[in-house]
């Protein structure tokens, strides 16, 4: 029997203090070092416990797509994938208005960057409970704002191809902003990684 995969915690794309003051080193320390790591550890536990179930899986994405939505395996696999995508959605060189192809696509789909920003912020701020706000590219080529609950992921829900995400679980902002999710979302816009969105859009 082939050995099942071991999921690794991917390295952060920048130093832990790089997003400060918008997102502190302490937040990243906990969010990446404790939360993201815990999802990886738990998922590896599930894979080790029932290796035969995972012989077809080569990546964490494979595990996420294979596991039944809402199952413990799905929740941990999706949280591993979602967090990896979230770190890439932010950059110390980010913020400001979009440039390149993503700027044109946003204008085409939402009318203007400001209209997109309002819709995305409203989805992120208004999301009830834990979850994620996403910018996705739909099958018809248009961009859309999607929110998912808990560990939900647009690929799993057939809601489009992720381009950017904002984590709206409390653990993403409580250290820096306590219960003020809106302030955290304002800060997320200051580090939004347009280069990543352009890369994903081109793929
Ligand atoms: Mn999180």
């Amino acid at each position: 029997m082939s050995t099942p995969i071991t999921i690794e915690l991917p390295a952060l794309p920048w130093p832990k203090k790089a997003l400060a003051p918008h997102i502190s080193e302490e937040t990243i320390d906990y969010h990446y070092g404790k939360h993201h790591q815990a999802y990886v550890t738990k998922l590896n536990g599930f894979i080790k416990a029932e290796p035969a179930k995972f012989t077809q899986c080569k990546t964490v994405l494979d595990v996420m797509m294979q596991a039944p939505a809402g199952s413990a395996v799905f929740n941990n696999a999706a949280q591993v994938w979602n967090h990896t995508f979230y770190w890439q959605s932010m950059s110390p060189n980010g913020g400001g208005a979009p440039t390149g192809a993503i700027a044109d696509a946003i204008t085409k789909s939402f009318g203007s960057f400001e209209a997109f920003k309002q819709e995305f912020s409203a989805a992120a701020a208004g999301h009830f409970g834990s979850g994620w706000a996403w910018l996705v590219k739909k099958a018809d080529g248009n961009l859309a704002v999607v929110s998912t609950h808990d560990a939900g992921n647009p690929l799993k829900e057939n809601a489009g191809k992720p381009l950017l995400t904002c984590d709206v679980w409390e653990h993403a902002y409580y250290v820096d902003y306590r219960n003020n999710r809106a302030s955290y979302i304002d800060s997320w816009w200051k580090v939004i990684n347009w280069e990543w969105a352009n890369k994903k859009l081109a793929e």
Side-chain angles (χ1 to χ4, degrees):
M1 197 177 77
S2 57
T3 316
I5 52 164
T6 300
I7 305 300
E8 309 275 354
L9 179 67
L12 285 170
W14 21 254
K16 282 182 181 172
K17 61 182 177 197
L19 304 183
H22 310 297
I23 296 179
S24 68
E25 182 173 11
E26 188 184 0
T27 288
I28 301 296
D29 234 1
Y30 274 85
H31 199 179
Y32 172 75
K34 305 285 185 199
H35 291 275
H36 198 179
Q37 176 66 65
Y39 297 125
V40 169
T41 303
K42 278 185 201 154
L43 183 59
N44 281 324
F46 289 125
I47 294 170
K48 277 212 182 77
E50 296 184 282
K53 276 193 182 172
F54 301 96
T55 49
Q56 303 302 310
C57 299
K58 299 210 175 341
T59 64
V60 71
L61 178 66
D62 294 340
V63 178
M64 176 181 95
M65 295 307 279
Q66 172 187 284
S71 65
V73 171
F74 169 79
N75 285 340
N76 284 280
Q79 286 293 80
V80 172
W81 195 96
N82 292 355
H83 281 89
T84 302
F85 199 89
Y86 170 64
W87 308 131
Q88 296 287 355
S89 296
M90 302 182 290
S91 164
N93 306 314
T99 53
I102 193 71
D104 297 338
I106 284 172
T107 303
K108 183 168 169 276
S109 297
F110 299 95
S112 67
F113 169 56
E114 276 311 312
F116 160 63
K117 192 173 173 182
Q118 268 183 27
E119 185 177 335
F120 189 98
S121 295
H127 184 88
F128 186 78
S130 296
W132 300 82
W134 305 82
L135 173 65
V136 301
K137 184 183 177 184
K138 293 191 296 180
D140 66 7
N142 286 313
L143 306 193
V145 171
V146 165
S147 62
T148 60
H149 286 278
D150 301 322
N153 178 288
L155 293 169
K156 184 74 172 182
E157 297 174 14
N158 233 336
K161 179 184 137 86
L163 304 177
L164 288 168
T165 194
C166 181
D167 184 345
V168 297
W169 285 56
E170 264 187 3
H171 68 223
Y173 57 87
Y174 209 82
V175 169
D176 293 334
Y177 299 100
R178 298 303 173 197
N179 60 328
N180 194 342
R181 190 190 285 181
S183 288
Y184 157 68
I185 295 163
D186 284 346
S187 291
W188 182 83
W189 286 106
K190 293 179 179 135
V191 293
I192 186 171
N193 188 355
W194 294 117
E195 210 176 300
W196 176 254
N198 267 315
K199 187 176 164 208
K200 293 288 115 185
L201 186 65
E203 278 175 12

